[in-house]
Amino acid sequence: MSPTPQLFSLPEARTRFTKSTREALNNKNIKPLLNTFSQLPGSENEKKCTLDQAFRGVLEEEIINHSSCENVLAIISLAIGGVTEGICTASTPFVLLGDVLDCLPLDQCDTIFTFVEKNVATWKSNTFYSAGKNYLLRMCNDLLRRLSKSQNTVFCGRIQLFLARLFPLSEKSGLNLQSQFNLENVTVFNTNEQESTLGQKHTEDREEGMDVEEGEMGDDEAPTTCSIPIDYNLYRKFWSLQDYFRNPVQCYEKISWKTFLKYSEEVLAVFKSYKLDDTQASRKKMEELKTGGEHVYFAKFLTSEKLMDLQLSDSNFRRHILLQYLILFQYLKGQVKFKSSNYVLTDEQSLWIEDTTKSVYQHILNTEENWNSWKNEGCPSFVKERTSDTKPTRVVRKRTAPEDFLGKGPNKKILMGNEELTRLWNLCPDNMEACKSETREYMPTLEEFFEEAIEQADPENMVENEYKAVNNSNYGWRALRLLARRSPHFFQPTNQQFKSLPEYLENMVIKLAKELPPPSEEIKTGEDEDEEDNDALLKENESPDVRRDKPVTGEQIEVFANKLGEQWKILAPYLEMKDSEIRQIECDSEDMKMRAKQLLVAWQDQEGVHATPENLINALNKSGLSDLAESLTNDNETNS
């Protein structure tokens, strides 16, 4: 006969969970709770609910015993760990937080809320968000009801910021969808003219005849001159504008608009003519506040008459007022979904708002229009969901074997999954060979690019300067890039000074004309053929000594540079190259063959018509490079 299974006992389970919770708090480890949860009989839901009650019971004892906030937060952290391990319900940490904030005074609530702020990432995770968002919202609203908006302004702001970080931007519970105004925000000021003391100050000062020593008051502290007197009239009009900022709908009424227009013109005129505080003095005040560690903040405007002069001369105060104007104008001109159809501006009102905005602001709050449009469209989510029209998800297949991917047959055609991609990929199976293909060479040769310029540089062709290609800036830019890639003359140092790019290119064209072969001619006359035959006969009759006396050609330099290679530095001193020129060649290129070519080109430029193979052979013999000298002699005889 099998033993009877143990039944779940609520008192026993609660006692054991309470004991394990105390043990876990002392050890700062959740293992005692996990062991007790696994040992107790019963279903998971029964054990989870019992552990939730145990947490609340332990927390209640801590609050009654006036324990520190650290002990209370340790219990909540333990509950968070329990949710993560799956041994208590997801709402438990939020219930505990609500109990704590309801029982503790406001100064300790500040400490508890700091813990809530730091764990905002935890609350936003999938495990906690859906279960706790309503608890957190209710908890924050209860706190806001207990706090004073004027005395606990910073704490209230922290709560609002926390809610903004917790909920997504599209959460409608945190949006003012109907564009309602906070009509409770009333600005209180003196409305009794008989009790006003404004305007009497200067009169009393003149009557008392205040003695001011010479030099005691500087020019910056002189009385401010203004076309509009700072009296009770201005004071009343100035602070009456706050009622329009509080409730902009009044501006759509004809009489209210006239009043607003009159008051606004006077206030803006005062802003325009009234002198601001010295900027340097304001900076000193700000530095003093920073060094002193004090931060002065007021949630409401100070409407005392005694402060009127100071407020009008304070740039920060003016900025706040002008920003209120801007927000008001934005509402009046903007398209708001829930605005009444009767709220339409006249052409005169629109023109005044536009002119005033241009005179005061530039490109501020333009993005507010996007915000209004988003709310008018019903606050659609910023996360775009995949439509149902998309292709159905395919069944995951095993990875294809390499032989299937490469295809079959002798050609081994690679299949790319698309007909066009397959065609392009298989144009050349070998990637390296495809990169070396001559068809990928898009850069023209020096002969092709400079053929026209060389012909124009020939005096016999009589081409005027303004029609030459070197004077074209576009041609000059491309010519410089080509010379840098293909010609050693570009990096060759020279003492010659050029005033303009065309002048430099003209010089380069002349050098290239000497090195490059003459342009081919498709049609040759009989006289040209006879001249060529005569030149060939003369060349045959020339002695080897005469041929050696001719200057070296660019082709000869190219061939010999490949042979010279790393030994160019041995030859350089015997070609009368200076150390500075040798260092310049080393800096210009790291390729030994290119350095050898630059050396020979520099020697050719330096010697001119004396840069003959004979002189080069002599220099090679002197430097001890007799093998290269013999090779050059043989090549010279072979070519001749």
Side-chain angles (χ1 to χ4, degrees):
M1 185 175 178
S2 59
T4 306
Q6 295 182 357
L7 299 175
F8 176 77
S9 173
L10 178 61
E12 181 187 354
R14 183 169 181 175
T15 303
R16 292 186 62 179
F17 273 133
T18 303
K19 183 179 178 181
S20 299
T21 303
R22 292 288 183 189
E23 186 179 349
L25 288 173
N26 294 330
N27 298 337
K28 297 182 179 179
N29 196 328
I30 200 174
K31 284 185 179 179
L33 282 172
L34 293 174
N35 295 333
T36 304
F37 190 88
S38 60
Q39 293 170 4
L40 284 173
S43 65
E44 283 198 2
N45 288 334
E46 291 174 335
K47 291 188 283 186
K48 283 184 178 181
C49 294
T50 308
L51 181 56
D52 294 344
Q53 293 180 13
F55 274 134
R56 296 190 74 177
V58 173
L59 181 65
E60 181 183 358
E61 293 176 8
E62 294 292 333
I63 294 174
I64 293 172
N65 296 331
H66 300 286
S67 298
S68 63
C69 291
E70 286 75 15
N71 294 341
V72 172
L73 294 176
I75 298 173
I76 298 173
S77 300
L78 202 61
I80 294 173
V83 174
T84 307
E85 296 292 339
I87 60 176
C88 67
T89 56
S91 61
T92 303
F94 307 105
V95 174
L96 298 179
L97 279 171
D99 293 344
V100 170
L101 293 174
D102 286 341
C103 299
L104 293 181
L106 287 177
D107 55 344
Q108 293 184 5
C109 287
D110 196 339
T111 307
I112 301 297
F113 192 76
T114 303
F115 172 83
V116 176
E117 287 177 309
K118 290 180 179 178
N119 287 277
V120 66
T122 304
W123 313 138
K124 292 176 73 173
S125 63
N126 296 331
T127 309
F128 292 92
Y129 183 73
S130 58
K133 63 178 183 178
N134 291 333
Y135 284 98
L136 287 172
L137 182 60
R138 189 182 304 114
M139 178 187 73
C140 290
N141 287 332
D142 291 341
L143 262 179
L144 288 172
R145 291 191 193 98
R146 292 174 60 189
L147 295 171
S148 169
K149 291 182 180 179
S150 57
Q151 295 181 6
N152 306 109
T153 311
V154 176
F155 198 175
C156 292
R158 285 170 56 195
I159 294 172
Q160 297 288 358
L161 287 174
F162 168 74
L163 291 174
R165 291 171 60 195
L166 176 66
F167 291 101
L169 193 61
S170 55
E171 177 66 33
K172 294 186 179 181
S173 63
L175 294 173
N176 183 12
L177 289 177
Q178 297 184 359
S179 301
Q180 296 176 347
F181 303 104
N182 182 15
L183 300 180
E184 297 177 1
N185 183 23
V186 179
T187 302
V188 181
F189 60 95
N190 182 20
T191 55
N192 190 350
E193 186 175 0
Q194 296 178 354
E195 297 177 0
S196 174
T197 58
L198 197 63
Q200 300 176 9
K201 182 179 177 183
H202 298 297
T203 308
E204 293 174 357
D205 292 345
R206 286 195 297 271
E207 290 175 356
E208 293 176 3
M210 295 176 60
D211 297 330
V212 180
E213 295 183 6
E214 187 176 356
E216 183 178 344
M217 182 180 290
D219 295 336
D220 292 342
E221 298 176 354
T224 305
T225 58
C226 177
S227 57
I228 301 175
I230 309 303
D231 53 9
Y232 176 78
N233 247 345
L234 178 64
Y235 168 82
R236 180 180 57 83
K237 293 174 182 177
F238 182 85
W239 290 115
S240 296
L241 288 172
Q242 293 298 318
D243 191 54
Y244 293 91
F245 298 145
R246 179 181 65 94
N247 186 14
V249 176
Q250 300 178 74
C251 293
Y252 291 107
E253 299 174 4
K254 190 173 182 180
I255 299 175
S256 299
W257 171 258
K258 287 183 178 179
T259 307
F260 170 75
L261 186 63
K262 180 182 178 182
Y263 290 179
S264 296
E265 287 177 348
E266 289 192 25
V267 169
L268 293 176
V270 171
F271 281 1
K272 188 175 182 181
S273 59
Y274 206 82
K275 185 178 179 182
L276 279 172
D277 237 352
D278 186 15
T279 309
Q280 294 181 353
S282 299
R283 288 177 182 171
K284 289 179 181 178
K285 292 176 185 176
M286 291 301 293
E287 289 175 3
E288 289 175 1
L289 285 175
K290 289 178 181 178
T291 54
E294 300 176 359
H295 180 67
V296 181
Y297 175 76
F298 297 99
K300 293 285 292 178
F301 286 124
L302 302 177
T303 58
S304 172
E305 297 176 355
K306 298 177 181 179
L307 297 174
M308 194 66 185
D309 286 344
L310 296 174
Q311 288 171 332
L312 290 176
S313 59
D314 184 8
S315 58
N316 288 324
F317 179 79
R318 290 196 192 185
R319 190 176 293 116
H320 285 297
I321 301 300
L322 294 176
L323 184 60
Q324 286 183 300
Y325 269 109
L326 177 59
I327 296 171
L328 173 66
F329 293 163
Q330 187 75 25
Y331 173 78
L332 295 177
K333 295 189 301 180
Q335 299 295 328
V336 181
K337 184 177 181 180
F338 292 95
K339 190 189 293 187
S340 172
S341 57
N342 298 327
Y343 294 160
V344 180
L345 293 174
T346 63
D347 294 340
E348 185 180 354
Q349 290 174 326
S350 301
L351 183 61
W352 183 85
I353 290 174
E354 187 177 350
D355 293 342
T356 307
T357 305
K358 286 181 180 178
S359 63
V360 180
Y361 318 104
Q362 290 181 352
H363 311 296
I364 304 177
L365 287 188
N366 286 340
T367 54
E368 183 72 12
E369 296 178 3
N370 298 331
W371 177 256
N372 287 337
S373 302
W374 176 73
K375 290 201 295 184
N376 292 340
E377 293 169 5
C379 308
S381 175
F382 290 99
V383 180
K384 293 185 178 180
E385 298 181 358
R386 182 173 293 180
T387 57
S388 57
D389 298 336
T390 56
K391 296 180 181 179
T393 56
R394 293 182 297 178
V395 180
V396 180
R397 296 182 301 175
K398 292 184 179 180
R399 189 174 181 180
T400 55
E403 56 270 15
D404 296 335
F405 177 74
L406 294 174
K408 299 177 181 179
N411 294 330
K412 298 252 182 183
K413 188 175 181 180
I414 299 176
L415 305 176
M416 301 300 296
N418 179 283
E419 184 178 350
E420 186 63 18
L421 284 177
T422 302
R423 184 186 68 80
L424 292 173
W425 187 269
N426 290 280
L427 288 177
C428 186
D430 190 347
N431 285 340
M432 293 304 297
E433 290 298 325
C435 294
K436 295 176 183 177
S437 175
E438 294 181 357
T439 57
R440 290 180 56 84
E441 184 63 43
Y442 304 112
M443 189 185 303
T445 62
L446 291 172
E447 293 90 338
E448 294 174 355
F449 188 81
F450 286 101
E451 183 177 1
E452 181 184 0
I454 291 173
E455 290 180 2
Q456 293 175 350
D458 191 353
E460 294 181 359
N461 294 329
M462 294 185 293
V463 178
E464 298 180 7
N465 285 332
E466 59 180 331
Y467 298 111
K468 289 184 178 181
V470 293
N471 291 319
N472 187 338
S473 58
N474 187 17
Y475 180 87
W477 178 77
R478 289 185 289 132
L480 287 177
R481 291 188 57 134
L482 184 63
L483 288 170
R485 295 292 300 273
R486 293 210 184 269
S487 174
H489 292 295
F490 184 80
F491 297 102
Q492 186 63 37
T494 178
N495 295 327
Q496 221 172 340
Q497 299 291 334
F498 300 102
K499 296 182 179 178
S500 61
L501 177 61
E503 185 181 349
Y504 170 74
L505 290 177
E506 191 80 33
N507 180 270
M508 296 298 292
V509 166
I510 294 171
K511 286 185 180 181
L512 292 172
K514 295 177 183 178
E515 297 178 5
L516 301 177
S520 59
E521 298 180 3
E522 297 178 359
I523 302 174
K524 294 185 178 180
T525 60
E527 294 178 0
D528 294 337
E529 292 176 359
D530 294 340
E531 288 178 3
E532 288 182 2
D533 293 340
N534 294 334
D535 291 340
L537 289 172
L538 290 172
K539 193 172 184 180
E540 289 177 3
N541 296 329
E542 280 180 354
S543 62
D545 294 336
V546 174
R547 290 169 193 159
R548 282 186 187 178
D549 291 340
K550 286 189 175 182
V552 292
T553 62
E555 186 179 355
Q556 289 175 321
I557 288 177
E558 187 77 32
V559 173
F560 184 67
N562 293 334
K563 295 180 179 180
L564 183 59
E566 297 180 354
Q567 298 174 333
W568 71 273
K569 204 168 182 180
I570 302 173
L571 178 63
Y574 295 94
L575 295 180
E576 299 182 359
M577 287 291 153
K578 299 177 182 178
D579 292 340
S580 60
E581 294 175 332
I582 295 174
R583 287 194 298 271
Q584 184 66 35
I585 291 173
E586 289 179 331
C587 294
D588 289 342
S589 177
E590 295 182 358
D591 186 13
M592 293 300 171
K593 293 180 180 180
M594 180 58 71
R595 289 180 179 180
K597 185 176 180 180
Q598 288 186 2
L599 171 68
L600 295 174
V601 170
W603 170 71
Q604 184 186 30
D605 290 343
Q606 181 177 310
E607 297 296 326
V609 293
H610 299 291
T612 60
E614 181 67 28
N615 292 336
L616 184 56
I617 291 170
N618 293 337
L620 287 168
N621 288 325
K622 290 178 183 179
S623 63
L625 303 173
S626 55
D627 294 342
L628 288 174
E630 186 177 351
S631 174
L632 180 60
T633 304
N634 295 336
D635 291 345
N636 196 30
E637 290 176 356
T638 302
N639 293 334
S640 58

